[in-house]
Amino acid sequence: MNTTNSNTEITLLARSAPYGSGAAKLCLDVSIAAAVFEQTVNYVFLDDGIYQVLDEQDASPINSKSLGKTLEALGLYGIEKLYVDEDSLRKRNLSTDQLLPQVELVNADAIKKFINQSKFVLTL
Amino acid sequence: MNTTNSNTEITLLARSAPYGSGAAKLCLDVSIAAAVFEQTVNYVFLDDGIYQVLDEQDASPINSKSLGKTLEALGLYGIEKLYVDEDSLRKRNLSTDQLLPQVELVNADAIKKFINQSKFVLTL
Amino acid sequence: MKFSLVVYSAPYSSQSAATALHFAQQLLIQGHEIYRLFFFGDGVHNASKLAVVSQDETHIQQQWDSLIAENNIDSVVCVSSALKRGIINLEESNRHDLESISLSDSSEIAGLGQLIDASINSDRLVNFG
Amino acid sequence: MKFSLVVYSAPYSSQSAATALHFAQQLLIQGHEIYRLFFFGDGVHNASKLAVVSQDETHIQQQWDSLIAENNIDSVVCVSSALKRGIINLEESNRHDLESISLSDSSEIAGLGQLIDASINSDRLVNFG
Amino acid sequence: MTSLHTITKPPSAAALQSCAKFLSEGDSILLLEDGVYYSADANNWPALPLGTKVYGLKEDFVARGLSKIVDRQVELVDYARFVQLSCEHDKVVSWL
Amino acid sequence: MTSLHTITKPPSAAALQSCAKFLSEGDSILLLEDGVYYSADANNWPALPLGTKVYGLKEDFVARGLSKIVDRQVELVDYARFVQLSCEHDKVVSWL
């Protein structure tokens, strides 16, 4: 494999609610793989993906791992920021104090820029 | 099996667009099975299910069978009417002349009655 | 009461399979009867015996298999959904020289008539998908 | 150009698997190179060799298998998606005494690194799901 | 003939909006799986007939970090009560 | 860096509405699978930046009975052109 000697920018647009479907988990797995192979990852939460970064998730009652806890720990892999589309947040009547501490609100122009400068965009 | 000596009323609420997912086809299969076993079937199309009863479907370019054609032929199994939620139709800017000839527009009260009097309701 | 459950979703792709399993376990705890489990569409993957699940995840297929076998429940995968999704029994395997079987021993392949029968002969039919 | 395709959906449950297949066929017709196929999530079911499909339906798994084998394409199913969905090779089968194999001979099991590698080394990565 | 309507998809799928149009007297609603997000978003609630009981599956609220922001009209229940509700109503309608 | 954005879900999933917020100059849209229903429903079109080309996959329009009610701004294309469009843009963004 020829991965380590080139750096590619990847944007992940996480648009699905966690737990109900497997999409959020797949997106998370891609983010970790990309970070492990030293690619630059822009991890953006929009639409129902906003629900992935809600604070105080505890998935033990449904025998799952808490997605929020893993997202919180992504700094270990060099993914320091979780970008949240401010428009999606507003539409769901949520505020940043209900979200994980790592989130950073971004507007549509910032997300457009991520998409533009990335080689590869994945929406899940 | 102990099916033939009792008649049960079944309401199918078809809410998915055809072809994109397998849901519409599953619902159709249930309708035929129920009719074959001489149960009473109320086949109701609402939300994106409206798209199932669009006229002039020709799924040969995507190597599928045309769902519309099979729905048209359900009279053979004793399912004479395809009930269409008028509210869903209006919301999609469609009119009955774009739909299969068998369709009959119904309002929410009629659908509520179907649900009420059925032993079993399936939404797909 | 006599319940039948219909499961439309595959494990790990949708939470509904786990919800259905939990509901079924609770039915038995409360002394209700499960007349039939019917796996339909992607739900047929719940009855795969080839799943290899890591220790830290719930092995949903195995839990279904145990629940069904231990309680002697009638469990059916829909024939038209199962075969094209690669869920096959010994008979289909032999017929098509596939040399492998993917359907759990605790479930059998049958037609949609079993779903209609369940809707007639159960007090409640509950859908999970 | 060098393309890689990622397929997230199972055949028959979503049209996307058929769309991806059609797109891949057209790529080869136009002389493009397919660097890698990566089956992810429910997409791993495209690489099942146990599907039994009736004559009047398109056998999507078989068409993938032919396309991959005839054109010698690098085809990968994601290990973490595949095993828990019952898509296993000889090695996993032996390790867990399952006596059956569900993965097509034309595909192999590998990790997500292969997806990242494809995103770096292809001109275009196209997702279907 | 009363129904227990189960909602498992998030508000963006608008299943509760459809369901609400067809509710009869004595019907109840159970929010579970991703349906629990309705509870966090008052804007997305359709008008429900007066007296419609709304239940929420506690396990799914806790998993999603919503147990503290439950809408006041939602009563949290466990699986045992889910089974009881299925018996108390004449049928279960699952809005898949 | 231009993108070809593919929309495969019906208008009720609102993927085009999200996609529209992030379009850059030179970007195009391809409606396919259930995304083609956007073409039948003018109410559901979000505002697109001036000059955004919208393509539709012909096979999927015919399958769904929509080939006669195509919105005027949609240009029908076949799979061969789909592949070409993937090459002409710098990347493909699939709104799954």
Side-chain angles (χ1 to χ4, degrees):
Chain A
M1 208 154 50
N2 188 21
T3 47
T4 42
N5 49 4
S6 48
N7 182 284
T8 302
E9 191 165 337
I10 294 177
T11 293
L12 303 178
L13 302 176
R15 298 180 61 235
S16 308
Y19 310 116
S21 83
K25 181 63 167 49
L26 292 182
C27 200
L28 175 69
D29 290 347
V30 173
S31 78
I32 293 174
V36 164
F37 288 97
E38 296 180 346
Q39 310 305 305
T40 303
V41 177
N42 308 311
Y43 206 157
V44 184
F45 298 83
L46 72 154
D47 298 335
D48 286 344
I50 295 291
Y51 295 130
Q52 297 182 31
V53 292
L54 272 179
D55 204 2
E56 302 193 39
Q57 297 171 46
D58 171 14
S60 56
I62 58 168
N63 302 314
S64 290
K65 273 171 278 186
S66 294
L67 191 85
K69 298 235 163 32
T70 317
L71 288 171
E72 248 182 305
L74 281 181
L76 297 171
Y77 299 94
I79 301 175
E80 308 289 348
K81 284 179 181 166
L82 306 173
Y83 298 104
V84 166
D85 173 45
E86 58 180 22
D87 185 34
S88 303
L89 190 70
R90 197 173 41 239
K91 276 194 185 136
R92 281 163 187 75
N93 287 311
L94 293 168
S95 59
T96 42
D97 59 351
Q98 295 169 296
L99 306 182
L100 299 175
Q102 287 87 344
V103 304
E104 177 172 322
L105 285 196
V106 288
N107 63 18
D109 280 339
I111 297 172
K112 195 190 290 191
K113 206 175 153 198
F114 286 145
I115 294 175
N116 254 312
Q117 69 199 21
S118 294
K119 188 181 176 199
F120 163 36
V121 178
L122 190 147
T123 80
L124 255 177
Chain B
M1 209 154 51
N2 189 21
T3 48
T4 43
N5 50 5
S6 47
N7 182 284
T8 301
E9 192 165 337
I10 294 177
T11 292
L12 304 177
L13 301 176
R15 299 181 60 236
S16 309
Y19 309 116
S21 82
K25 180 63 167 51
L26 292 183
C27 199
L28 175 70
D29 290 347
V30 173
S31 79
I32 293 174
V36 164
F37 287 97
E38 296 180 347
Q39 310 304 306
T40 303
V41 177
N42 307 311
Y43 206 157
V44 184
F45 298 84
L46 72 154
D47 299 334
D48 286 343
I50 295 291
Y51 295 129
Q52 297 182 30
V53 292
L54 272 179
D55 206 0
E56 301 194 39
Q57 297 171 48
D58 172 13
S60 57
I62 58 167
N63 302 314
S64 289
K65 274 171 276 186
S66 295
L67 191 86
K69 298 234 166 26
T70 317
L71 288 171
E72 248 182 304
L74 282 181
L76 297 170
Y77 298 94
I79 301 175
E80 309 288 350
K81 285 180 183 166
L82 306 173
Y83 299 104
V84 165
D85 173 45
E86 56 180 23
D87 185 34
S88 303
L89 191 68
R90 196 172 42 239
K91 277 194 186 136
R92 280 162 188 75
N93 287 310
L94 293 168
S95 59
T96 42
D97 59 352
Q98 295 168 295
L99 306 182
L100 298 175
Q102 288 87 343
V103 305
E104 178 173 320
L105 285 195
V106 288
N107 61 20
D109 280 340
I111 297 172
K112 194 189 292 192
K113 206 175 153 196
F114 285 144
I115 294 175
N116 254 314
Q117 70 199 19
S118 294
K119 186 180 178 199
F120 163 37
V121 178
L122 189 148
T123 80
L124 255 178
Chain C
M1 275 192 173
K2 227 192 281 184
F3 277 79
S4 287
L5 310 187
V6 191
V7 183
Y8 297 82
S9 298
Y12 316 113
S13 311
S14 159
Q15 194 193 338
S16 303
T19 303
L21 178 64
H22 206 146
F23 188 86
Q25 289 163 337
Q26 186 59 232
L27 280 179
L28 298 176
I29 289 171
Q30 295 191 20
H32 296 292
E33 179 193 342
I34 297 180
Y35 179 77
R36 182 167 296 141
L37 295 174
F38 192 86
F39 295 104
F40 195 27
D42 285 339
V44 300
H45 292 300
N46 286 283
S48 168
K49 69 170 178 181
L50 301 185
V52 174
V53 181
S54 66
Q55 299 278 348
D56 61 344
E57 276 194 283
T58 310
H59 196 321
I60 294 179
Q61 296 93 335
Q62 199 170 70
Q63 290 202 16
W64 276 121
D65 187 49
S66 306
L67 182 92
I68 294 163
E70 286 164 18
N71 298 282
N72 206 11
I73 296 169
D74 183 6
S75 174
V76 165
V77 299
C78 174
V79 58
S80 59
S81 300
L83 301 191
K84 62 185 171 191
R85 286 177 175 80
I87 299 295
I88 58 168
N89 58 11
L90 176 63
E91 190 187 336
E92 289 295 329
S93 179
N94 286 342
R95 183 179 303 160
H96 300 276
D97 281 330
L98 291 166
E99 294 170 3
S100 287
I101 296 166
S102 47
L103 180 68
S104 295
D105 299 335
S106 58
S107 291
E108 62 185 68
I109 294 179
L112 268 170
Q114 296 294 322
L115 171 60
I116 308 303
D117 171 76
S119 76
I120 295 168
N121 293 309
S122 310
D123 299 309
R124 296 287 182 277
L125 188 89
V126 188
N127 297 280
F128 296 88
Chain D
M1 275 192 170
K2 226 191 280 185
F3 278 79
S4 286
L5 309 187
V6 191
V7 183
Y8 299 82
S9 298
Y12 316 112
S13 310
S14 159
Q15 194 193 340
S16 303
T19 302
L21 178 63
H22 206 147
F23 187 86
Q25 289 163 337
Q26 187 58 233
L27 280 179
L28 298 175
I29 289 171
Q30 294 191 23
H32 296 291
E33 179 193 338
I34 298 180
Y35 178 77
R36 181 167 297 140
L37 296 173
F38 192 86
F39 295 104
F40 195 27
D42 286 338
V44 300
H45 292 298
N46 286 281
S48 168
K49 69 170 181 181
L50 300 184
V52 174
V53 181
S54 68
Q55 299 278 350
D56 61 343
E57 276 194 281
T58 311
H59 197 320
I60 294 179
Q61 297 91 336
Q62 200 170 68
Q63 291 203 15
W64 277 121
D65 187 50
S66 306
L67 183 92
I68 295 163
E70 287 163 18
N71 298 282
N72 205 12
I73 297 169
D74 183 5
S75 175
V76 164
V77 299
C78 174
V79 57
S80 60
S81 300
L83 301 191
K84 64 184 170 192
R85 285 176 176 80
I87 300 295
I88 57 169
N89 57 11
L90 176 62
E91 190 188 335
E92 289 294 331
S93 180
N94 286 343
R95 182 179 304 160
H96 299 276
D97 280 330
L98 290 166
E99 294 171 3
S100 288
I101 297 165
S102 46
L103 180 67
S104 295
D105 299 335
S106 58
S107 291
E108 62 184 69
I109 294 180
L112 268 170
Q114 297 292 323
L115 171 61
I116 307 305
D117 172 75
S119 76
I120 295 168
N121 294 308
S122 310
D123 299 308
R124 297 287 182 276
L125 187 91
V126 188
N127 296 282
F128 296 89
Chain E
M1 291 273 282
T2 60
S3 302
L4 174 68
H5 298 266
T6 63
I7 306 289
T8 51
K9 303 287 182 281
S12 58
L16 184 57
Q17 281 80 342
S18 284
C19 165
K21 295 194 287 181
F22 310 120
L23 292 172
S24 297
E25 208 184 316
D27 282 7
S28 304
I29 290 166
L30 173 65
L31 305 176
L32 73 164
E33 298 179 17
D34 287 346
V36 305
Y37 291 113
Y38 271 104
S39 178
D41 188 357
N43 282 2
N44 264 307
W45 281 89
L48 301 177
L50 214 70
T52 306
K53 272 295 288 177
V54 183
Y55 302 93
L57 194 63
K58 192 178 176 185
E59 281 86 341
D60 287 332
F61 277 79
V62 173
R64 288 160 178 81
L66 291 181
S67 46
K68 284 185 190 156
I69 32 176
V70 176
D71 193 280
R72 271 175 306 169
Q73 67 174 304
V74 179
E75 179 186 336
L76 294 191
V77 297
D78 59 11
Y79 269 92
R81 186 85 181 98
F82 179 8
V83 166
Q84 287 163 5
L85 289 169
S86 305
C87 297
E88 290 168 11
H89 295 76
D90 296 305
K91 60 179 155 293
V92 180
V93 180
S94 310
W95 292 79
L96 306 187
Chain F
M1 291 274 282
T2 62
S3 303
L4 174 68
H5 298 267
T6 64
I7 306 287
T8 51
K9 302 286 182 281
S12 58
L16 184 56
Q17 281 80 341
S18 283
C19 166
K21 295 194 286 181
F22 310 119
L23 292 172
S24 298
E25 208 184 316
D27 282 8
S28 304
I29 289 165
L30 173 66
L31 305 176
L32 74 164
E33 298 179 16
D34 287 346
V36 305
Y37 292 113
Y38 272 103
S39 178
D41 189 356
N43 282 2
N44 264 307
W45 281 90
L48 300 178
L50 213 70
T52 306
K53 273 293 290 176
V54 183
Y55 301 94
L57 193 63
K58 192 179 174 181
E59 282 86 341
D60 287 331
F61 276 79
V62 173
R64 288 161 179 80
L66 291 181
S67 47
K68 284 185 191 158
I69 32 177
V70 176
D71 193 279
R72 272 175 306 168
Q73 68 173 304
V74 178
E75 178 186 338
L76 294 192
V77 297
D78 60 11
Y79 269 92
R81 187 85 183 95
F82 179 8
V83 166
Q84 287 161 7
L85 289 168
S86 306
C87 297
E88 291 168 10
H89 296 75
D90 295 304
K91 59 179 155 292
V92 181
V93 180
S94 310
W95 292 79
L96 305 187

